[in-house]
Amino acid sequence: MILTLSCPDQPGIVAKVSTFLFERGCNILDAQQFDDQETGVFFMRVVFDPSDADRDVLRGEFEALAKGFSMRWTLRDPAERYRVMILASKFDHCLADLVYRWRIGELPMDVTAIVANHAAETYTHVDLSGLPFHHLPVTKETKFEQEAALWKLIQETNTDIVVLARYMQVLSDGLATKLAGRCINIHHSFLPGFKGAKPYHQAHARGVKVIGASAHYVTGDLDEGPIIEQDVERISHRDTPEDLVRKGRDIERRVLARALRWRLEDRVLLNGRKTVVFTD
């Protein structure tokens, strides 16, 4: 099982958690912790073998310990896979990559739906067989109705995590608030960076020497959500804008895949406007 927690820092947290698990016959397999001395918040992730311990009893008994430390915590059996919805637009490289990684077992999740603002014919070269596909077109005039249909679908499918796989629509403040801590976006720049249309062309015009991508949680502030993962790649004066786009696609794929996998493995904990990521 995987236990994650955050709480105001004070002496004895690790000892209390370890003793709690020991007294119930649980064996700790991996433990990571971080004390943010700027905010005074303590973070911890523990993977343990519960042996014969009853899962529901463990949760109930840990509740009492958690209250004593004012903890925000989760306790999950990895066999209980997260339910993930993937949103896409015309650019489908991230969609194709996530579906492929899911099919080979690299991303342990249940895909509840593929949602796109383009018709299914747009993705004929992506293997979406067996996956529910929903075409939800959107215009400025229909944005409210489209988001209402999207939110209804999220609720009906019991979706836990929403992934914007280069979904080129800005979520409204209302929907972003409903999905707080549950919606991951891939941004086609190393944030903060070049915003607006054709970011790689802007970067090329400025003669940049690295390009990158950022995966972050979605908030009402556009591209300002807590960052989960980033990566960069060096370029040179020989690279054309088309070269930057090609290299950028590769960065976006791997950054989004890593961010999603870490979220599926309960490695990402919110820390105000930032995240604590217990990487593997």
Side-chain angles (χ1 to χ4, degrees), residues 22-218:
F22 169 74
E23 290 177 344
R24 287 153 183 82
C26 302
N27 182 35
I28 294 177
L29 305 175
D30 182 70
Q32 294 173 283
Q33 63 195 63
F34 172 66
D35 177 12
D36 187 341
Q37 297 190 10
E38 292 184 358
T39 62
V41 179
F42 177 82
F43 300 85
M44 190 174 187
R45 177 181 184 271
V46 182
V47 181
F48 65 92
D49 179 359
S51 187
D52 296 326
D54 185 281
R55 272 72 163 170
D56 293 331
V57 172
L58 272 178
R59 289 187 177 92
E61 293 179 340
F62 191 81
E63 177 70 34
L65 186 154
K67 286 182 178 179
F69 288 92
S70 300
M71 291 180 180
R72 298 179 61 183
W73 60 282
T74 64
L75 181 58
R76 186 179 66 90
D77 186 336
E80 300 168 359
R81 309 208 305 182
Y82 283 112
R83 297 175 59 79
V84 178
M85 181 179 292
I86 303 174
L87 275 58
S89 292
K90 186 175 181 180
F91 299 110
D92 59 6
H93 52 285
C94 287
L95 168 64
D97 184 69
L98 293 181
V99 171
Y100 170 75
R101 293 176 190 266
W102 166 71
R103 290 196 185 279
I104 66 173
E106 184 178 320
L107 293 175
M109 61 185 182
D110 293 332
V111 180
T112 59
I114 306 297
V115 179
N117 58 325
H118 292 267
E121 292 74 21
T122 308
Y123 314 99
T124 53
H125 61 289
V126 181
D127 182 11
L128 299 180
S129 58
L131 292 173
F133 182 90
H134 299 267
H135 178 207
L136 296 181
V138 59
T139 64
K140 290 183 180 180
E141 293 73 25
T142 63
K143 186 175 181 63
F144 178 81
E145 291 79 5
Q146 192 257 12
E147 284 200 348
L150 175 59
W151 176 242
K152 181 180 179 182
L153 185 61
I154 292 170
Q155 292 178 300
E156 290 177 345
T157 56
N158 295 314
T159 291
D160 301 306
I161 300 169
V162 175
V163 179
L164 308 186
R166 287 303 304 271
Y167 180 67
M168 305 304 289
Q169 296 293 322
V170 177
L171 301 188
S172 67
D173 289 351
L175 185 56
T177 298
K178 291 177 182 177
L179 294 175
R182 300 171 51 197
C183 186
I184 299 174
N185 181 47
I186 183 66
H187 190 277
H188 45 236
S189 290
F190 189 83
L191 293 173
F194 302 102
K195 297 184 178 181
K198 297 186 176 180
Y200 293 117
H201 292 73
Q202 294 181 53
H204 181 264
R206 292 283 298 276
V208 301
K209 296 300 181 280
V210 295
I211 58 172
S214 305
H216 64 93
Y217 280 122
V218 172

Side-chain angles (χ1 to χ4, degrees), residues 230-245:
Q230 295 179 292
D231 204 351
V232 296
E233 185 169 322
R234 293 201 63 83
I235 60 172
S236 77
H237 57 276
R238 296 182 178 87
D239 288 304
T240 65
E242 290 71 25
D243 292 328
L244 269 60
V245 171

